[in-house]
Amino acid sequence: MLKKSRLKAALGAAFAATLVFSAGTAQATDLVVSAAASLTNAFKELAQSFEQQHPGVKVITNFGASDILMQQIVRGAPADVFASADQTAMDKAVSEKAVTAASRKNFAANQIVLIVPHDAKLQPASLNELTRPDYKRIALGNPASVPFGRYTKTALEQAGLWSQVQAKGVMAENVRTSLDYVARGEVDAGFVFATDAAVMPEKVKVAVRIPSDTPATYPIAITTGTQQKELADQFLAYVLSPTGQGVLARYGFLKP
């Protein structure tokens, strides 16, 4: 009898905790925005200013590698808006019917750069110098899973250097991880977006800006599973508005 009463008490407590958790994490006015890691700083500001213009609305941001975010949404993770760092991840989201194709818009552009620690004694003047023995560890993104990795591979292939640089590669799960590797001096150099390099000017410096025939454009779209369609539409419109574009420009993003 005692065991049954304890079991009932435990189940009751667990159920009550579940209700509290659900109430605290799934408010009717929550807007969940899953965005590429390189958008972290800019989208945090956009979320705050959007909330100020929409009293009672809470924008919940989820940052990470675009491919990982896309897979999360496909598998049913809550999200109302998806902002990718490249077209490939968004193409997959469309093909998986995770986002509404008609809502898809390009809202920003970026550039890949090669960075080194701020106190580095060596600073490459060109990508060709990365083949020198002085450069032993180079932070890269996996082209199979992160946009900045795909952009980097394309640029290095165009320069005929991909295999040599890849052999020295230290793979980063997203662009902010690559930035951290360089900032901490754990690698001799690394590839990131220009906007990420600007986040830590006291710890890293840009050595080479990478020209590429593939523009680093960022698309945004509304998810098919959203329960906040009207609010998601408003957020997209805000990102594309002169005010939203001004915020992105302050963080170094270019117009698409």
Side-chain angles (χ1 to χ4, degrees):
M1 194 70 178
L2 182 59
K3 287 183 179 179
K4 284 186 178 179
S5 62
R6 284 180 178 172
L7 179 59
K8 286 182 179 179
L11 290 173
F15 182 66
T18 301
L19 287 178
V20 170
F21 177 79
S22 298
T25 58
Q27 296 295 328
T29 50
D30 282 351
L31 183 73
V32 181
V33 177
S34 287
S38 53
L39 292 165
T40 300
N41 299 70
F43 264 47
K44 280 183 177 178
E45 182 173 333
L46 285 170
Q48 290 176 352
S49 54
F50 185 80
E51 287 174 351
Q52 291 171 358
Q53 296 180 21
H54 298 78
V57 172
K58 175 65 178 175
V59 179
I60 300 173
T61 49
N62 176 33
F63 299 107
S66 297
D67 292 57
I68 300 300
L69 297 175
M70 179 273 298
Q71 290 167 11
Q72 290 173 353
I73 296 169
V74 169
R75 292 170 184 164
D80 301 296
V81 176
F82 174 45
S84 170
D86 79 344
Q87 303 298 331
T88 300
M90 187 62 79
D91 287 343
K92 291 178 183 176
V94 171
S95 66
E96 292 286 347
K97 295 181 171 53
V99 299
T100 305
S103 69
R104 179 177 179 171
K105 298 284 189 294
N106 290 334
F107 69 96
N110 215 331
Q111 180 184 30
I112 292 291
V113 296
L114 176 67
I115 59 173
V116 296
H118 200 272
D119 58 356
K121 295 179 181 178
L122 292 172
Q123 181 171 326
S126 69
L127 292 178
N128 286 315
E129 292 187 31
L130 293 178
T131 61
R132 290 168 42 185
D134 307 278
Y135 298 97
K136 298 179 175 61
R137 292 166 58 84
I138 301 169
L140 298 170
N142 186 341
S145 59
V146 288
F148 92 96
R150 291 191 279 270
Y151 290 127
T152 299
K153 181 183 180 182
T154 298
L156 288 172
E157 283 180 336
Q158 289 171 352
L161 299 169
W162 172 242
S163 59
Q164 298 104 304
V165 175
Q166 184 187 27
K168 301 179 180 185
V170 176
M171 291 300 170
E173 64 181 14
N174 60 55
V175 71
R176 287 299 172 94
T177 304
S178 183
L179 176 64
D180 287 340
Y181 285 160
V182 179
R184 294 195 297 260
E186 296 175 5
V187 294
D188 302 304
F191 291 90
V192 297
F193 286 118
T195 51
D196 296 291
V199 173
M200 295 185 179
E202 73 288 353
K203 293 185 178 180
V204 304
K205 54 186 174 183
V206 175
V208 181
R209 293 186 176 274
I210 315 300
S212 175
D213 293 336
T214 305
T217 52
Y218 286 53
I220 190 170
I222 297 171
T223 66
T224 53
T226 182
Q227 299 298 311
Q228 301 285 359
K229 174 70 167 58
E230 184 177 349
L231 204 55
D233 280 333
Q234 291 173 0
F235 185 82
L236 255 70
Y238 182 63
V239 170
L240 293 164
S241 72
T243 301
Q245 290 293 296
V247 171
L248 288 161
R250 285 206 308 277
Y251 286 94
F253 288 94
L254 306 171
K255 288 187 177 298

